Every structure is written in C-alpha cells, then in structure tokens.
Amino acid sequence: YYRATLRYREPFPVPEKVCTVRTLAIWGNGDAALDNNIIEGTREYFGNLTVRYIEGGCHWIQNEEPDQVNQLMRAFLSSNDSNVE
C-alpha cells in the first residue's frame, strides 16, 4: 500500500464497509517508519478494534518483542472482552 502510494498520485478509494470482526493491532510506539496516528486513523474502518502499544517497540515489533506480542495475543484471544489490558 505505502509503496504504491509513491507510484500513483490518485487517492485510494475509501472502503465502504467496516470490518466488524474483533481485531487486535499491536503497535510499537517507537516506530520510526509509521507514526501512531496511522493506527489510530484506522479505527474508523473497524467496528471492534483494540490497539495495544509496546513501549519503545519499533517497526518489526513481532521480531523485536516476541514474548510481549505473544502475551498480548494470548490475552486477547482467550478473552471475550476485546479491551483486555
């Protein structure tokens, strides 16, 4: 998506449908490539989005902090509540 943005000047169409599946996004708040505003900006496309930040994590959070990522995923998947801390 972001590579294509550099190639094409036409704006991408805004999705008409919102994803209603319970969704977890795990984000490193130290990502130099993608600002936190990007993930927050996707909330309008998800009916049930939970975002969890890993302090100081960077762009490849699943490789940098696998234990924390796995812990967050397990908690999210084992819970009926999408707002698991």
Side-chain angles (χ1 to χ4, degrees):
Y1 178 86
Y2 57 89
R3 288 182 186 144
T5 301
L6 299 175
R7 253 185 256 158
Y8 306 104
R9 298 294 178 219
E10 296 290 322
F12 288 97
V14 175
E16 294 177 16
K17 295 183 180 181
V18 171
C19 176
T20 58
V21 175
R22 191 169 76 109
T23 304
L24 172 66
I26 301 172
W27 201 265
N29 67 1
D31 190 333
L34 302 174
D35 188 83
N36 290 353
N37 292 332
I38 292 174
I39 193 65
E40 291 300 330
T42 64
R43 285 191 185 276
E44 66 184 284
Y45 304 112
F46 290 86
N48 194 354
L49 176 65
T50 299
V51 179
R52 295 289 175 247
Y53 294 96
I54 294 180
E55 189 70 31
C58 294
H59 193 67
W60 302 108
I61 195 65
Q62 72 279 7
N63 294 332
E64 298 167 350
E65 299 293 342
D67 293 337
Q68 287 186 59
V69 169
N70 287 337
Q71 179 182 15
L72 290 168
M73 289 173 54
R74 283 188 191 107
F76 181 81
L77 293 171
S78 67
S79 144
N80 291 328
D81 177 13
S82 61
N83 293 317
V84 172
E85 290 299 327

